[in-house]
Amino acid sequence: PYLTRMLNYSAALSAAASEGAMAATLQSQTAALLLNAQGRITLINDLARALLGDGLVESRGRLIAERGASHAALEARIAAALGGEGGRLGVDAGPLVIRTRSGGVLLVDVTPLKAAMADAFGQSGALVTLVDPMRRPEPSAALLRRLYGLTARESEVAVMIARGEGVGEMAEALGLRESSTRQIVKALLWKTGARRQSELTAMFAQARRDA
């Protein structure tokens, strides 16, 4: 019973470590999946889940590229990362390009979890990060809130401003009146020192690149 309890406690700590490290990837706006030593997906953040379904899918707990050649290349990358042979198979050379059905691409990096990284994620295996070059990165609400001392609602509006959305779009998305949304924009202008919404857009978008 004592050994079982210790093993359960160890598993719980590992899971907590994994979730904490994955939360950090979400905070940095990185689409990421965590694979165990057998190549199965153990954790996936919301950003990565949003990129799946077009050229790259999750099937029976594994990451699958829908095109045959891309799938073989992805499997080779994952196997190399898990087997410690990343250099030989080109894992360290750059991201793998996965073609999507819609005509775009996804850039896929597979990084072995070793030493400090394995400790941070609470397991050995691999970290897979995804990038859609066509999607403009946006700052997180938490980042803008911390940088400019915003309220939760103000930070939500700030993220939408960084996307280039107008007052009407923001009001509809948040379920607010346009007049209320304009008041929040005015508060953001006052807190940041910007003079117009276009300046806010540039300022908040730059915050993501500088983070």
Side-chain angles (χ1 to χ4, degrees):
Y2 295 106
L3 179 58
T4 300
R5 220 173 300 163
M6 289 173 62
L7 290 173
N8 290 340
Y9 183 59
S10 176
L13 286 178
S14 295
S18 298
E19 290 171 2
M22 286 298 283
T25 65
L26 195 58
Q27 181 77 12
S28 64
Q29 292 288 292
T30 301
L33 306 93
L34 192 62
L35 307 182
N36 64 16
Q38 289 73 46
R40 293 190 174 277
I41 299 171
T42 56
L43 286 174
I44 175 172
N45 68 21
D46 291 340
L47 295 172
R49 196 175 297 281
L51 293 177
L52 297 184
D54 184 7
L56 197 63
V57 299
E58 177 185 1
S59 178
R60 297 182 179 179
R62 295 186 180 276
L63 191 61
I64 305 293
E66 294 181 312
R67 293 173 180 261
S70 295
H71 177 58
L74 178 61
E75 280 200 321
R77 288 289 183 99
I78 292 174
L82 296 177
E85 301 174 342
R88 183 175 68 81
L89 290 184
V91 173
D92 302 323
L96 180 66
V97 178
I98 302 292
R99 301 283 175 184
T100 65
R101 295 190 308 273
S102 58
V105 298
L106 287 176
L107 305 181
V108 182
D109 260 322
V110 186
T111 304
L113 293 180
K114 296 180 178 179
M117 281 189 71
D119 290 340
F121 283 94
Q123 68 173 69
S124 59
L127 178 70
V128 180
T129 55
L130 311 177
V131 174
D132 180 352
M134 298 303 293
R135 292 195 181 191
R136 183 174 66 179
E138 64 184 37
S140 69
L143 172 64
L144 294 178
R145 187 173 184 176
R146 186 170 67 249
L147 288 176
Y148 299 104
L150 308 181
T151 66
R153 178 64 84 185
E154 288 169 348
S155 62
E156 288 179 327
V157 172
V159 169
M160 294 180 179
I161 289 175
R163 295 177 192 152
E165 295 183 14
V167 170
E169 294 173 296
M170 293 187 288
E172 183 177 356
L174 295 172
L176 299 175
R177 294 179 178 178
E178 289 193 15
S179 58
S180 299
T181 306
R182 287 194 183 92
Q183 288 301 316
I184 296 173
V185 174
K186 286 181 181 179
L188 292 174
L189 292 170
W190 181 79
K191 287 189 174 183
T192 61
R195 291 173 295 178
R196 56 183 65 90
Q197 188 171 327
S198 59
E199 290 183 20
L200 286 176
T201 300
M203 184 182 299
F204 294 152
Q206 185 66 36
R208 170 63 183 93
R209 292 191 288 273
D210 292 343

